[in-house]
Amino acid sequence: MCGIVAYVGPKDAAPILLEGLQRLEYRGYDSAGVVVSNRGLKMRKVKGRVADLAAVVPARFRGTLGIGHTRWATHGAPSDVNAHPHLSADERIAVVHNGIIENADELRAKLEADGAVFVSETDSEVLSHLIARTVEDADSLAEAVRGALKRVVGTYGIAVIDAQRPGEVVVARNGSPIVLGIGEKEMFAASDVAALVRYTRQVVHLEDGELAVLKTDGFTTFASDARETAKEPLTVDWEAGHYDTGGYEHYLLKEISEQPETVARTLRGRLDDRFHIAHLGGLNMDARETRSFRRVKIIGCGSAYYSGQIGAQLIEELARIPADAEPASEFRYRSPVVEPDTLYVAISQSGETYDTLAAVQELKRKGGRVLGIVNTVGSAIAREVDGGLYLHAGPEVSVASTKAFTSTAVAFALLALHLGRVRDLSPADGRRICEGLRALPGQIKEILALEPQIKELAHKYAGSPSMMFVGRVRGYPVAREGAQKLKEISYVHAEAYPASELKHGPLALIGPEMPTVAIVPDDELLDKNLTTLGEIRARGGRVLMVGHREADPRLADDCLVVPRNEIELDPILLSIPLQIFAYHAAVALERDVDKPRNLAKSVTVE
Ligand code: G6P
């Protein structure tokens, strides 16, 4: 997704902007550009990588004020011209924009009728033209920007500079994140804290409708009616080092390997051995309220949604409350019935996925009680919800989610324990789950030690054009996430089905060319799962079984045996070998593991 960086201060802006853009690369983009102000605007932009941009920025590209952008094409193909920034015709105004302007065609037609000449196909270019029209007569750049934004329908995070006002950057937000970074006699802004942590830990998140003016000596924020707003800076604890590969070949492998620690961090301080409960202060609910819910509805996108399916299962089993998960986008578009006795839980690693945020806002409008399970402190979803749990997994850079997925499932186990223990979950079962949770980091280490075996299996199966993933009840979300990991990073077609559904259709696909990964935990459904394996083998299908024991060679070609925990928590552990499997399949197929084609880390548009 698009990224924004802005700087004003005493230093040369270009190196800071380029470094910031590099930090945003992980989000996915196709072109990049920068503009600095120094007796006029100097701009460079290219289709391609930030490194390609850096190569065309001349050594003498001086200016202590500037803005930069990484673009992910929505209106118009990736090209040098469509890349941001966009200048006004007189080259006085430069704009970078994230989001989508819905009435761009209409505005463009009006501006063209008025004599404006557009050079790009983007929706964003209307902004530079609109601002340029009024900036001459406006009291301030902020006023001109505000005027232009009043005419715009859609979502935006923007940064704007004016060649005639070389001391300030104006940024504004509506639906697309903007974070200000406060430095020593310098100010930064970006669409993601990743671009700021090298320079400052003091940040301010803009709310929708807010606009900020950044100058060397500080910043001022305004609400949409131009009244000044008061903002408290937040200290972020993510460090620049979190954004390095730390000696690993890929971020993905680094993040998979971090999971013993990240799971421990999600659990830290939250388990009570005396009463066998979970301490979750951030929920902002007392016991009476916690008991009052009769249903739990979980929403999220992609891997967040699949971890929500694991969560729904945990809540039903441990708290005996009906629970289910649904993609956030589906939920928001079907005009959901919002019930007062339903607890809604929104999941997001980034905390800014637009579909999830919009679903939360819809719920809040209808009076729903919403908790968030979020990784990014202070993110839009975290600020919108009534309470929740932070994952504390540290920044996740690789596009495919691994450690955030696992930590979310662990967070759900904590929430399920909490909801269960204020209801009917016995202290003995509470203790069993607490002990199981404590064992997870050590058991994840044991799974990581299986990497050589998993790598060999990945090489064996990676050549297949298509793979089936099956699981039953607890194993089904594991299968779904396993298929998701494989398809997104290796581009091998993968389908996930409930094991029981296989015979109702997809069995027709099974044959020697379509192997199956079967999730077979040692639970009460073991025999049923083994029957499914028999059905697959009878059709000549190859089977890789992921479970708790070696299977009869007549039922599985290969077995991956992982440590056993409590049956309710096993899905968390069973997911991890599938991450490693997908990783090695992608490496074997020479894919761009951390930045798979067509995907972005956080999708901040509809
Ligand atoms: C994108 C990513 C997925 C991710 C999903 C939700 O689609 O490509 O990997 O699972 O967004 O992201 P979130 O930040 O809300 O967890």
Side-chain angles (χ1 to χ4, degrees), residues 467-471 476 479-484 487 494-498:
M467 288 190 80
M468 182 68 79
F469 284 70
V470 295
Y476 177 47
R480 292 191 85 182
E481 172 61 9
Q484 163 96 342
K487 69 184 124 189
E495 291 214 39
Y497 262 90

Side-chain angles (χ1 to χ4, degrees), residues 293 338-342 344 360-370 386:
F293 296 109
V338 176
E339 298 160 308
D341 53 2
T342 298
Y344 294 90
V360 170
Q361 288 166 340
E362 175 72 6
L363 279 167
K364 303 265 342 200
R365 261 195 297 277
K366 293 181 169 172
R369 173 80 184 207
V370 196
D386 298 301

Side-chain angles (χ1 to χ4, degrees), residues 301-304 348-350 353 399 401 488 600-601 603:
C301 298
S303 294
S348 180
Q349 186 285 125
S350 60
T353 297
V399 164
S401 183
E488 65 184 339
K601 181 66 183 160
V603 183

Side-chain angles (χ1 to χ4, degrees), residues 40 56 71 100 143 190 213 232 237 285 328 377 388 398 406 427 484 521 577:
V56 300
R71 172 174 189 252
I100 288 175
E143 187 187 318
V213 178
E232 269 301 306
D237 62 357
M285 286 194 297
V377 175
S398 196
T406 306
Q484 163 96 342

